[in-house]
Amino acid sequence: MNVIEINQLTKYYGKHRGIENVSFSVDRGEIFGFIGPNGAGKSTTIRALLSLIHPTSGSATIFGKDCIKYGSEIRRDIGYLPSEVFYYEHMKVREVLNYSASFYDNVDYRRIESLSEVMDLDLNKRIDDLSYGNKKKVGIVQGLLHEPRLIILDEPTGGLDPLMQQKFFDLIRAENQNGATVLFSSHILSEVQKLCGRVAIIKDGTIVRVENIRDMQKHNYKKFTLDYKGIIDVHHFNLEGITNLTVNENTLHFLFKGDINRIVERLQGQNLFNLLVEEPTLEEIFMHYYQKEDQP
Amino acid sequence: MNVFKKEMKANLKSLIIWCCAQVFIIFAGMMKYQGFADSEVDINALFDAFPKEIMVVFGIGSVDISRVAGYYSVFFLYFMLLAAVHAVMFGAVVVSKEERDHCADFVYTKPIRRFQVISPKLLAGVVNILLFNMVTFAASVFFIAQHNKGDGLIDKVSLTMLALFILQLFFLALGAMFGAILKNTKRATAVASGLVMGFFILSVVVDLYDKLAFLAILTPFKYFEGSTMMINDQLSFNSAAILLSVTLVFFGLTFVAFNRRDLST
């Protein structure tokens, strides 16, 4: 069963494009990545799912129910961490969290304590005394305290130090193992890589592709690094399937997708110092998706 | 209930400040009355010497201000202004403050509908203006009694406060509507307070130029006159009915507009 199903979702702010015909679905129990550069439409999509904004056209369902029509009902089971965390500044952390909890039925208030302990968050501090990272922690506890079935994270790791990021990922994995579905939006690929099974890539308001992370990494691209002894003939590698070709003094880098034998053929007779064939990082694959169409 | 409580708490300090200001104005104003009464000067004759325009701007029309009821009725203009600014600001801010403070994502992703957030907020507004009104009432009766041989004119002041409350409701709804329709709090408070000033200026203009009397219907400040309530014990039913109806429409528009709104981060 699909927990989230987005169908041709479009949002225009006046004439300004938000998102266009976004469609994808998230299965129950998966951790689904949602990646794209800033301004691509990740937050717009998420805000439409939460009925904070009204889509221009298209629709989305969560738990099989229309997002706008049954918004309040659906949100009972959603935990949301906004990309920019702001809370009532004059309140204490504990007050904000209790206030948050007061909107849900049957909240286990001990969870506030235990989650805060894991995230190393001081409940007695005032919100306006907190650093950005600590506010983020408040957001995390606030998003998880009612044991949601669907967790929506919009750029969740900004401001968290690596140790906290690790704890946070562990927390999300644990929630996931307990049955929660996760939609994880980010522009940092390494974190999506760590956590997610599938990923939707959004660029300029439209979904470029939905892919299995493993397929994306393993079966598609190889990263080549060639160290030359002499002069590099770039035209030699004018071959279909080669992308992101860069020359740096005596070193040639490129990504290749296709029959590996084509490359081996081309390597014959080349005067090489060294040759490296690697799995590309997601970043590198990603750059490829992001290259503007108008580039040669 | 949690939203209501939170709003009451958030506005407590400002309510106390507003009430203190109001009490001080009444206290200081009635002190002046004592000054007039003691000096044994014919106040009415003194004021007759002033140009009509000045008297109108200060709200001193044709009432006999040598009597305490008449003197007090002049205050109504200031009550209206102060209460209108308080109510209109409350309405404009309370509806849009989450977006101003960037925490709309917090409340509006909770499992409640938007009207379930707006209703308790507006209820908090009604309670706030009611408290402001009651403080005005208590201070008025107390200070009038000091200068009127212990008679606080409770009946007359009650009637005046009822009119004041209707005006407060109107301005709360007006502010809330702007808060829901306009892009942000800043714009809402600017437009709303500008409108209050506009209404006030119009009410002065209407007093100054008899030919423009028909414009009185456009400014809520001309719907009730302090002197008719304090001296003739009368409250215009039509005025009350019109203001309350418009208030209801404004509240309705607030809900509709807010429901359609795209909330900003």
Side-chain angles (χ1 to χ4, degrees):
Chain A
M1 190 197 114
N2 289 332
V3 169
I4 302 177
E5 214 169 304
I6 304 176
N7 198 353
Q8 301 288 307
L9 200 67
T10 300
K11 175 66 186 176
Y12 273 87
Y13 297 101
K15 277 189 177 168
H16 186 75
R17 165 197 62 76
I19 48 172
E20 248 171 357
N21 299 321
V22 166
S23 301
F24 64 84
S25 51
V26 178
D27 288 340
R28 179 195 294 214
E30 78 175 324
I31 302 184
F32 189 91
F34 191 31
I35 46 180
N38 295 324
K42 299 187 297 289
S43 291
T44 302
T45 309
I46 286 172
R47 294 171 67 75
L49 287 177
L50 292 160
S51 61
L52 287 166
I53 55 175
H54 300 268
T56 311
S57 64
S59 65
T61 60
I62 292 180
F63 309 126
K65 287 173 183 159
D66 185 84
C67 277
I68 302 289
K69 219 170 159 187
Y70 298 98
S72 62
E73 196 179 318
I74 292 166
R75 288 196 295 269
R76 254 180 241 159
D77 292 311
I78 298 180
Y80 168 57
L81 173 62
S83 58
E84 311 217 1
V85 279
F86 289 101
Y87 297 105
Y88 302 94
E89 300 249 302
H90 52 276
M91 285 168 94
K92 280 186 180 170
V93 174
R94 188 187 303 277
E95 288 173 324
V96 168
L97 293 174
N98 282 337
Y99 184 47
S100 181
S102 71
F103 288 94
Y104 301 94
D105 302 326
N106 310 322
V107 172
D108 180 1
Y109 280 79
R110 280 170 304 179
R111 237 175 107 82
I112 294 180
E113 309 280 342
S114 61
L115 285 169
S116 302
E117 206 162 297
V118 172
M119 292 311 294
D120 196 14
L121 176 68
D122 186 349
L123 288 171
N124 294 314
K125 277 203 169 157
R126 276 164 58 101
I127 294 289
D128 37 8
D129 293 336
L130 295 182
S131 66
Y132 180 65
N134 277 320
K135 277 188 196 166
K136 207 90 194 183
K137 291 181 192 172
V138 179
I140 292 165
V141 177
Q142 179 266 135
L144 298 178
L145 63 82
H146 55 288
E147 299 174 78
R149 284 197 287 149
L150 171 63
I151 301 169
I152 298 180
L153 307 164
D154 195 357
E155 311 258 356
T157 52
L160 294 182
D161 59 54
L163 182 70
M164 274 305 146
Q165 282 194 18
Q166 199 48 53
K167 282 185 177 178
F168 169 64
F169 287 150
D170 291 346
L171 206 59
I172 295 301
R173 275 197 204 98
E175 291 296 316
N176 178 244
Q177 254 138 41
N178 288 333
T181 307
V182 181
L183 176 64
F184 186 108
S185 139
S186 176
H187 66 276
I188 304 162
L189 284 142
S190 52
E191 58 183 35
V192 172
Q193 205 169 1
K194 268 187 210 158
L195 214 58
C196 303
R198 286 195 310 147
V199 57
I201 299 167
I202 188 168
K203 175 187 165 189
D204 296 336
T206 48
I207 297 288
V208 182
R209 139 183 349 213
V210 178
E211 228 169 336
N212 198 309
I213 283 243
R214 216 156 265 156
D215 292 345
M216 203 170 164
Q217 279 174 285
K218 288 208 171 141
H219 305 302
N220 289 351
Y221 293 89
K222 292 282 179 251
K223 177 181 159 190
F224 283 81
T225 307
L226 281 63
D227 284 342
Y228 276 76
K229 277 185 178 163
I231 293 165
I232 302 171
D233 180 13
V234 176
H235 297 290
H236 200 70
F237 289 97
N238 196 356
L239 189 70
E240 203 184 318
I242 285 186
T243 49
N244 291 20
L245 187 104
T246 53
V247 181
N248 185 6
E249 286 183 29
N250 292 333
T251 311
L252 185 71
H253 295 278
F254 59 82
L255 295 181
F256 176 71
K257 180 185 178 183
D259 184 357
I260 200 79
N261 291 306
R262 297 279 85 76
I263 299 289
V264 176
E265 283 166 15
R266 295 281 162 137
L267 289 174
Q268 302 250 323
Q270 299 279 311
N271 194 4
L272 292 181
F273 190 66
N274 197 4
L275 164 68
L276 210 58
V277 184
E278 299 165 290
E279 296 289 346
T281 65
L282 215 43
E283 259 93 355
E284 284 160 319
I285 301 169
F286 206 41
M287 283 311 292
H288 169 63
Y289 285 121
Y290 279 175
Q291 277 179 345
K292 297 275 176 194
E293 284 80 3
D294 51 49
Q295 276 185 349
Chain B
M1 200 59 197
N2 41 11
V3 178
F4 174 75
K5 265 193 219 154
K6 207 204 141 292
E7 284 305 335
M8 287 305 292
K9 212 175 154 192
N11 285 292
L12 185 66
K13 215 191 257 174
S14 96
L15 179 67
I16 290 172
I17 294 169
W18 276 95
C19 288
C20 287
Q22 183 77 319
V23 170
F24 180 76
I25 286 172
I26 298 168
F27 161 75
M30 291 314 286
M31 282 289 279
K32 291 231 165 55
Y33 175 75
Q34 195 62 50
F36 285 143
D38 292 346
S39 65
E40 292 178 7
V41 176
D42 185 349
I43 299 296
N44 289 320
L46 183 72
F47 276 114
D48 279 345
F50 282 94
K52 186 201 172 201
E53 287 77 9
I54 291 184
M55 305 305 288
V56 165
V57 174
F58 286 104
I60 307 167
S62 49
V63 288
D64 176 4
I65 59 167
S66 65
R67 308 261 313 268
V68 74
Y71 182 87
Y72 177 81
S73 76
V74 174
F75 278 109
F76 189 60
L77 181 77
Y78 301 98
F79 291 166
M80 280 198 299
L81 253 184
L82 209 64
V85 173
H86 173 242
V88 94
M89 287 299 195
F90 194 108
V93 173
V94 82
V95 169
S96 60
K97 69 200 283 187
E98 267 82 11
E99 285 176 272
R100 180 194 64 190
D101 300 338
H102 307 287
C103 46
D105 282 16
F106 177 84
V107 184
Y108 297 105
T109 55
K110 298 286 178 253
I112 42 175
R113 291 170 193 278
R114 290 194 187 172
F115 80 86
Q116 289 171 302
V117 180
I118 294 300
S119 313
K121 276 170 172 284
L122 292 177
L123 182 65
V126 173
V127 172
N128 265 267
I129 60 174
L130 188 63
L131 287 172
F132 182 75
N133 188 290
M134 280 159 66
V135 168
T136 309
F137 173 77
S140 299
V141 169
F142 179 77
F143 288 116
I144 289 175
Q146 302 253 304
H147 304 284
N148 197 32
K149 298 176 189 116
D151 179 5
L153 305 176
I154 289 180
D155 290 352
K156 291 172 189 287
V157 175
S158 307
L159 201 62
T160 307
M161 289 306 125
L162 182 60
L164 186 68
F165 185 61
I166 293 168
L167 279 165
Q168 285 174 296
L169 275 177
F170 170 85
F171 280 106
L172 179 71
L174 185 75
M177 184 182 70
F178 284 128
I181 289 173
L182 295 176
K183 207 172 150 221
N184 53 40
T185 309
K186 224 169 150 186
R187 210 169 287 182
T189 51
V191 171
S193 53
L195 208 57
V196 171
M197 269 326 282
F199 282 147
F200 179 68
I201 290 167
L202 187 62
S203 75
V204 173
V205 167
V206 166
D207 277 342
L208 284 178
Y209 304 105
D210 295 339
K211 277 185 192 159
L212 296 175
F214 63 95
L215 289 176
I217 193 157
L218 294 178
T219 167
F221 290 133
K222 290 305 283 175
Y223 276 65
F224 300 113
E225 295 285 350
S227 53
T228 29
M229 292 172 295
M230 284 306 293
I231 296 163
N232 306 333
D233 300 311
Q234 275 171 359
L235 182 87
S236 163
F237 175 79
N238 287 344
S239 292
I242 293 171
L243 279 176
L244 286 174
S245 317
V246 176
T247 301
L248 275 181
V249 172
F250 285 172
F251 275 137
L253 286 173
T254 303
F255 283 105
V256 172
F258 201 83
N259 220 18
R260 289 192 187 160
R261 194 177 171 89
D262 281 341
L263 297 171
S264 55
T265 40

